[in-house]
Amino acid sequence: MRLKIIPKIQLKFYPSQLARSCFSKQGIVDFEAAFSRKTGIKYCAAAYTGRAALIAILSSLGLKKGDEIILPAFTFVGLAHIIADMGFKPVFADVSSETLNIDPEKIEELITQKTKVLLIVHNMGNPCEMDEIVRICRRNKLILIEDCAHSLGSRYKGKLVGTFGHASIFSFHYSKIINTFWGGMACTNSKKLASKIAKTVKSFKVQTKSQLLSRLEISFLQAIVTSPIVYSTIFYPVNMLFEKIRGEDIIETLFKLKPQDMETHKYQFTDFQARIGILELKKVEDYNRTRIDYLKEFREILGKKVRLQKNLKDAKFIPLQLVIFSKDKLRLIAYLKKNKVEAKDFYITYIPSIERFSRCRNNSLVAKRIADEIIYFPTFQYQSEKDIRYIAAKILSYNDNTPAR
């Protein structure tokens, strides 16, 4: 009988950095400089969240109310909420059924005189087709923003993602490649734009002592409940009961920020988070090598038996989450949970299905189908290859014992 549960995420807390941050404010400057060296992007401004980084960039571009921003129809809904909250109009382009990224062939038919920005997302760490995307932006005089929340370290034709556009954002949420217990970075190679971004970030509110204490308590709690022993013996049974009663996951319920509320994100990054970020950056290559190994193992076991996310030939794909597609999605997830694998049916979504965006222009037929079939699997650096093999084996076991539907 398998005792260990494979949770959605596992986190680490850094108490020594809390003590150091009480006596210095140098951590943020050092983290921004370290991130600049790591990515090769000249100017980096740390922000409270990835969405705060997007707010800072969009606020610095001189856009007007009603200007249109094209983004993928299948992505994190928080991006669309920020765009709409700032008075801009989101327009949703379809995605590739193989890479899950925005389909370059679907972009230009959506461009109008009001279109000013193309916001692309390297979904699950999988680089977009940047050559064609850059050509489209140049041809139509669009500002290109790269959302690299999933893709720190991924490359397209040897070049790091985040370095192709006018600006880029990164996220350090607990579910991302590196974790500073929320956090983000707004990046650009333009000195003029960087100056405006920095000014905007500094205008955000400073967290109060009670907010900081609450953040630290939540961060510590996250690390405790996601440790293998605590999660397997205590938290998992409680979470299963909570899901039956409330239909929600405790971790996602307790630790999420409201995506609809822009003001929630307009706070400044903290020294404590920055010091964690510096330590995490030193480990990012090891983290990414581990994720690449997981993807290789997953593909070798599942082969052509299960539909997987594919990457472009010239792309270095570092998976944020391993995903598969199944027409029997909900039953497969239930089967995996019974076998102690915390698979998810929701991480990013088909945005036009949300009431607020249902009337926005879009050409997204593929994106809707993907959202109905995609399943996300635990993928984090503290797993073992044995865990990945177990997950893959259970997927095959379900398929082998379930009649075709």
Side-chain angles (χ1 to χ4, degrees):
M1 179 180 178
R2 183 182 176 87
L3 297 178
K4 179 183 175 183
I5 310 298
I6 303 178
K8 295 181 178 74
I9 195 71
Q10 184 181 333
L11 307 174
K12 184 176 181 181
F13 192 65
Y14 294 86
S16 63
Q17 301 311 307
L18 173 59
R20 291 186 65 191
S21 67
C22 293
F23 302 101
S24 171
K25 295 298 179 185
Q26 184 63 28
I28 295 173
V29 175
D30 291 344
F31 180 44
E32 290 171 341
F35 199 82
S36 177
R37 290 192 298 271
K38 182 67 69 175
T39 59
I41 306 172
K42 290 181 181 179
Y43 306 104
C44 300
Y48 183 67
T49 60
R51 279 166 277 180
L54 180 61
I55 292 168
I57 291 171
L58 293 178
S59 299
S60 304
L61 293 176
L63 302 175
K64 298 177 181 178
K65 301 291 184 183
D67 283 345
E68 295 178 348
I69 298 176
I70 296 175
L71 68 160
F74 183 69
T75 189
F76 176 52
V77 69
L79 300 178
H81 282 302
I82 292 298
I83 290 168
D85 286 348
M86 294 183 72
F88 310 127
K89 290 185 178 181
V91 177
F92 301 107
D94 211 353
V95 299
S96 162
S97 61
E98 295 190 342
T99 67
L100 307 187
N101 289 328
I102 194 166
D103 185 344
E105 294 184 0
K106 299 295 184 178
I107 295 172
E108 288 193 283
E109 64 191 56
L110 294 172
I111 296 174
T112 70
Q113 289 184 342
K114 289 188 175 183
T115 308
K116 305 300 178 184
V117 176
L118 175 61
L119 171 60
I120 60 120
V121 182
H122 304 288
N123 255 334
M124 296 297 119
N126 195 10
C128 294
E129 194 175 335
M130 294 311 302
D131 285 348
E132 184 57 28
I133 287 171
V134 169
R135 279 194 290 268
I136 289 170
C137 289
R138 287 175 178 169
R139 189 160 57 236
N140 294 279
K141 297 181 180 179
L142 300 181
I143 297 167
L144 175 59
I145 301 175
E146 292 179 73
D147 182 338
C148 305
H150 300 177
S151 53
L152 178 59
S154 294
R155 293 175 180 267
Y156 175 80
K157 293 188 175 179
K159 187 177 179 181
L160 284 168
V161 299
T163 61
F164 291 87
H166 296 83
S168 56
I169 63 170
F170 292 81
S171 173
F172 314 127
H173 181 267
Y174 66 79
S175 63
K176 302 306 191 297
I177 300 290
I178 65 172
N179 167 37
T180 63
F181 298 96
W182 291 290
M185 194 74 76
C187 304
T188 183
N189 283 316
S190 166
K191 185 176 182 179
K192 183 178 179 180
L193 180 57
S195 177
K196 293 179 180 179
I197 291 171
K199 186 177 180 180
T200 301
V201 169
K202 288 177 182 177
S203 74
F204 293 162
K205 291 169 284 189
V206 176
Q207 295 179 65
T208 65
K209 289 183 179 179
S210 61
Q211 286 173 318
L212 287 171
L213 181 60
S214 176
R215 168 60 56 84
L216 294 174
E217 289 173 347
I218 290 173
S219 301
F220 181 70
L221 182 59
Q222 286 175 324
I224 293 295
V225 300
T226 60
S227 64
I229 294 176
V230 173
Y231 195 91
S232 297
T233 59
I234 300 173
F235 194 77
Y236 180 75
V238 173
N239 194 32
M240 291 290 283
L241 180 61
F242 186 83
E243 282 191 351
K244 285 184 179 180
I245 297 172
R246 294 281 301 273
E248 297 176 298
D249 179 277
I250 294 180
I251 292 180
E252 293 175 3
T253 300
L254 293 179
F255 303 147
K256 69 182 178 182
L257 294 175
K258 295 179 182 179
Q260 298 88 343
D261 185 0
M262 185 170 69
E263 295 303 314
T264 302
H265 303 276
K266 294 173 75 171
Y267 285 92
Q268 293 185 23
F269 199 62
T270 66
D271 190 80
F272 171 62
Q273 291 171 284
R275 291 183 181 280
I276 293 176
I278 291 168
L279 294 178
E280 289 275 277
L281 274 180
K282 293 176 181 178
K283 304 174 184 177
V284 72
E285 278 81 12
D286 289 337
Y287 290 168
N288 285 344
R289 275 193 292 270
T290 299
R291 289 173 180 273
I292 290 171
D293 289 343
Y294 291 165
L295 178 62
K296 182 179 179 182
E297 189 82 22
F298 212 56
R299 285 175 167 175
E300 285 180 354
I301 296 172
L302 298 179
K304 297 181 179 180
K305 298 177 181 179
V306 177
R307 187 176 156 221
L308 306 172
Q309 183 182 11
K310 297 180 181 179
N311 57 273
L312 301 172
K313 182 180 179 181
D314 296 321
K316 180 181 180 182
F317 175 21
I318 299 171
L320 177 71
Q321 299 258 299
L322 297 172
V323 303
I324 69 167
F325 302 90
S326 173
K327 295 186 183 298
D328 205 15
K329 175 177 174 174
L330 298 181
R331 287 186 176 85
L332 175 53
I333 289 173
Y335 172 82
L336 291 166
K337 283 192 174 183
K338 286 181 181 178
N339 285 276
K340 303 184 179 180
V341 176
E342 288 266 72
K344 295 192 293 186
D345 69 333
F346 176 84
Y347 186 84
I348 53 180
T349 191
Y350 175 60
I351 301 179
S353 67
I354 296 168
E355 175 61 27
R356 186 181 190 186
F357 306 110
S358 61
R359 295 175 179 83
C360 293
R361 288 196 300 118
N362 75 86
N363 58 6
S364 49
L365 297 176
V366 173
K368 186 178 187 305
R369 187 176 75 245
I370 286 173
D372 291 338
E373 298 179 359
I374 193 167
I375 303 175
Y376 308 88
F377 291 91
T379 314
F380 49 90
Q381 52 269 21
Y382 307 117
Q383 280 177 291
S384 66
E385 289 193 18
K386 183 178 180 181
D387 290 334
I388 300 300
R389 289 193 291 271
Y390 178 82
I391 293 170
K394 288 302 173 184
I395 295 169
L396 292 179
S397 172
Y398 177 84
N399 287 351
D400 289 343
N401 292 285
T402 303
R405 298 178 65 83

